[in-house]
């Protein structure tokens, strides 16, 4: 019996399943268990500073840091449709690896210094990470990216944690 079982090891050892994007020619695509983290930074003023991490099944964690109604962590549950709407708003701006849209970087012209920024990370089950860091003060010809990043959290049931009374 041991001989038969050991004889199967080479056959079973060859079974590999690719997870996530296996080419470099197309944008990464969501996989079943990836998480998306959306984190805002401080500004010169009272911009809400928080982090949201959510999975495709809608399981999420909100962490309020400054100028939010809730300071600290709160678990929440979104519907899969809410997750998909959130992910869809971010998807067009998902980089292959890392993309920085910040003062001094290509694509960021004449930026004022008192604006907030957002960091979005897509963490795949395989360990791969895509990261977008976007400074809202960057003057871009096309403002769709700015608008999509700002409005993406509206797709999630977290408004009650962010809005101050």
């Amino acid at each position: 019996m041991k001989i038969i079982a050991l004889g199967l090891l080479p056959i079973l050892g060859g079974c590999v399943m690719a997870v996530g994007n296996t080419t470099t020619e197309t944008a990464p695509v969501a996989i079943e268990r990836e998480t998306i983290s959306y984190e805002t930074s401080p500004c010169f003023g009272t911009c809400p500073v928080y982090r949201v991490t959510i999975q495709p099944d809608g399981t999420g964690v909100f962490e309020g840091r400054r100028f939010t109604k809730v300071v600290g962590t709160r678990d929440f549950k979104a519907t899969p449709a809410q997750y998909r709407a959130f992910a869809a708003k971010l998807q067009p701006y998902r980089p292959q690896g890392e993309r920085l849209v910040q003062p001094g970087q290509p694509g960021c012209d004449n930026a004022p210094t008192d604006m907030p920024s957002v960091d979005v990370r897509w963490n795949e089950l395989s360990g791969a990470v895509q990261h977008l860091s976007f400074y809202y003060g960057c003057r871009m010809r096309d403002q769709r990216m700015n608008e999509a990043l700002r409005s993406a959290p509206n797709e999630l049931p977290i408004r009650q944690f962010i809005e101050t009374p």
Side-chain angles (χ1 to χ4, degrees), residues 32-33 36 54-60 76-88 155-157:
E32 187 177 318
R33 292 301 304 165
I36 300 175
I54 189 163
Q55 297 179 19
D57 68 358
T59 304
F76 68 92
K77 183 73 173 167
T79 66
Q82 288 172 316
Y83 170 85
R84 286 191 302 274
F86 176 69
E155 303 298 333
L156 301 175

Side-chain angles (χ1 to χ4, degrees), residues 85-100:
F86 176 69
K89 279 208 172 179
L90 300 173
Q91 184 63 32
Y93 311 106
R94 183 177 183 165
Q96 288 290 329
E98 182 169 68
R99 180 176 180 201
L100 305 176

Side-chain angles (χ1 to χ4, degrees), residues 53-130:
T53 303
I54 189 163
Q55 297 179 19
D57 68 358
T59 304
V61 177
F62 174 88
E63 181 185 347
R65 295 184 177 155
R66 294 175 54 191
F67 304 113
T68 56
K69 185 174 182 179
V70 171
V71 176
T73 60
R74 295 290 191 278
D75 293 337
F76 68 92
K77 183 73 173 167
T79 66
Q82 288 172 316
Y83 170 85
R84 286 191 302 274
F86 176 69
K89 279 208 172 179
L90 300 173
Q91 184 63 32
Y93 311 106
R94 183 177 183 165
Q96 288 290 329
E98 182 169 68
R99 180 176 180 201
L100 305 176
V101 182
Q102 300 171 339
Q105 299 290 326
C108 183
D109 302 325
N110 302 324
T113 59
D114 59 351
M115 301 295 289
S117 63
V118 65
D119 278 314
V120 182
R121 292 182 191 276
W122 293 264
N123 298 292
E124 297 178 7
L125 184 61
S126 67
V129 176
Q130 291 87 39

Side-chain angles (χ1 to χ4, degrees), residues 39-62:
E39 184 172 356
T40 63
S41 73
C43 67
F44 185 74
T46 59
C47 301
V49 180
Y50 62 93
R51 179 180 179 167
V52 172
T53 303
I54 189 163
Q55 297 179 19
D57 68 358
T59 304
V61 177
F62 174 88

